Amino acid sequence: MKWLALVLSFVFGRLNMRPRGFKDAAIEIFDEVSFRSRRMVTLILVGVASVIFFTGGLFISLLDLSMQWDRTGSIVWSATLSTGVGLILLASAAFAVVFLRAWPGATKAKQQIKRKHKHEQEEEEMDRKRPTSLEHALSALVMDYVKEREIRRAARGPETSAYAGENVAGGTTAPNRETPRSHVH
């Protein structure tokens, strides 16, 4: 929105014949860019400082540990060791806050990951609801059998129904002359 105001003020300034130089427009643009980039620069500086403090705390801790081992042959908790560990923890926490929460792309990346995960779950749910190729084959086989039975029934004629010995009008007809086939030979 500020860019629109900047462009409109630049255009209306020219239309009003107000003397305005390139230097004034460049200063306004520079101010706007610096205002928008302050947060990013601050986050980068905090991240770099976190890395420096982490490295310093690690070296302080390692030096104190090695000095204690050289002098006494054992390691005890000391003020120097606790300072080094404290710097490591503080720097790690600051680094985590900067790049996991405050960084502008971090929330967008989290939202994209959530959307992608939700989309994958929906696809898995749809896959569970979709019939598999085996189910398709079985349903095609059953439907083929049903159609074949309907064709045979239609070929016998409309006077017989599914029950042997009955016709559509309610009378009886000759019994079904088909002989049952045994599956065992």
Side-chain angles (χ1 to χ4, degrees):
M1 194 60 159
K2 291 181 181 181
W3 285 100
L4 183 62
L6 177 68
V7 170
L8 289 177
S9 69
F10 183 76
V11 170
F12 287 123
R14 279 202 161 188
L15 291 175
N16 290 338
M17 295 297 184
R18 198 170 123 204
R20 186 174 181 130
F22 179 72
K23 184 178 177 181
D24 293 333
I27 289 173
E28 285 185 30
I29 291 173
F30 178 75
D31 288 341
E32 185 67 27
V33 169
S34 64
F35 177 74
R36 290 185 182 264
S37 64
R38 272 190 199 128
R39 181 171 186 237
M40 191 69 97
V41 169
T42 303
L43 292 175
I44 290 172
L45 288 177
V46 169
V48 169
S50 296
V51 169
I52 291 170
F53 281 117
F54 181 85
T55 307
L58 184 66
F59 284 136
I60 288 172
S61 299
L62 288 175
L63 286 173
D64 186 52
L65 289 172
S66 63
M67 268 194 322
Q68 285 183 23
W69 185 259
D70 286 342
R71 285 189 189 156
T72 62
S74 65
I75 297 173
V76 294
W77 194 261
S78 65
T80 307
L81 182 60
S82 59
T83 302
V85 171
L87 280 174
I88 290 172
L89 294 176
L90 182 70
S92 298
F95 195 79
V97 166
V98 165
F99 289 106
L100 295 177
R101 289 197 175 178
W103 194 259
T107 56
K108 290 178 185 175
K110 285 180 185 178
Q111 291 172 352
Q112 288 176 349
I113 290 171
K114 286 180 182 177
R115 273 190 247 127
K116 183 178 178 182
H117 185 65
K118 184 178 179 181
H119 182 68
E120 287 173 357
Q121 286 178 342
E122 289 173 356
E123 283 182 359
E124 288 175 4
E125 185 67 28
M126 291 299 291
D127 286 342
R128 278 187 240 131
K129 290 179 181 178
R130 287 186 200 136
T132 62
S133 59
L134 179 63
E135 290 172 338
H136 280 292
L138 287 174
S139 66
L141 183 65
V142 168
M143 291 303 294
D144 187 44
Y145 178 75
V146 168
K147 286 287 187 188
E148 189 175 313
R149 294 282 299 189
E150 288 175 354
I151 291 172
R152 283 184 190 167
R153 200 172 292 136
R156 278 191 286 186
E159 68 275 350
T160 61
S161 70
Y163 302 106
E166 297 180 10
N167 68 6
V168 178
T172 59
T173 62
N176 192 356
R177 300 204 193 281
E178 290 183 18
T179 59
R181 294 184 184 168
S182 172
H183 295 291
V184 182
H185 295 286

